[in-house]
């Protein structure tokens, strides 16, 4: 794991809740594609991970779930071709 710099600081606007989280310019999220989003979500829940949103249809045949890491950063996990809408 990387170490935090001794003079590091948190920029509160980078940790806003959706949908305001997209307003600041800069790092937004780490994104992963998985083959089985439902299984990933089940594992997140088993581990007590904070889920920000669950199974959101992205409009491109993909669905997305977002979680936060221990520092409050977004991690977006999505599955292609899993949208029930189309």
């Amino acid at each position: 794991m990387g170490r935090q710099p001794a003079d590091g600081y948190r920029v509160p606007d980078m940790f806003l809740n959706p949908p305001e989280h997209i307003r600041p310019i800069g790092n937004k999220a780490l994104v992963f594609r998985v083959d089985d989003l439902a299984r990933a979500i089940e594992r997140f829940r088993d581990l007590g991970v904070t889920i920000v949103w669950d199974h959101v249809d992205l409009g491109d045949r993909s669905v997305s779930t977002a979680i936060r890491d221990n520092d409050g950063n977004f991690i977006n996990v999505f599955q292609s071709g899993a949208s029930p809408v189309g």
Side-chain angles (χ1 to χ4, degrees):
M1 280 179 102
R3 297 184 60 174
Q4 298 292 331
D7 61 347
Y9 60 93
R10 183 177 294 268
V11 178
D13 283 349
M14 296 301 290
F15 298 91
L16 296 170
N17 287 321
E20 297 300 314
H21 74 291
I22 61 172
R23 294 183 68 210
I25 297 170
N27 181 29
K28 301 292 188 246
L30 182 61
V31 180
F32 293 99
R33 184 180 60 81
V34 297
D35 293 328
D36 188 342
L37 185 59
R39 185 172 177 195
I41 294 168
E42 181 179 323
R43 182 71 174 139
F44 296 149
R45 288 194 171 116
D46 289 346
L47 293 170
V49 172
T50 299
I51 296 176
V52 180
W53 66 74
D54 185 358
H55 279 95
V56 171
D57 191 307
L58 299 178
D60 65 352
R61 298 188 32 83
S62 299
V63 289
S64 166
T65 291
I67 62 174
R68 286 197 189 261
D69 70 10
N70 292 339
D71 290 323
N73 298 301
F74 282 105
I75 300 174
N76 189 336
V77 183
F78 79 99
Q79 180 179 347
S80 297
S83 170
V85 177

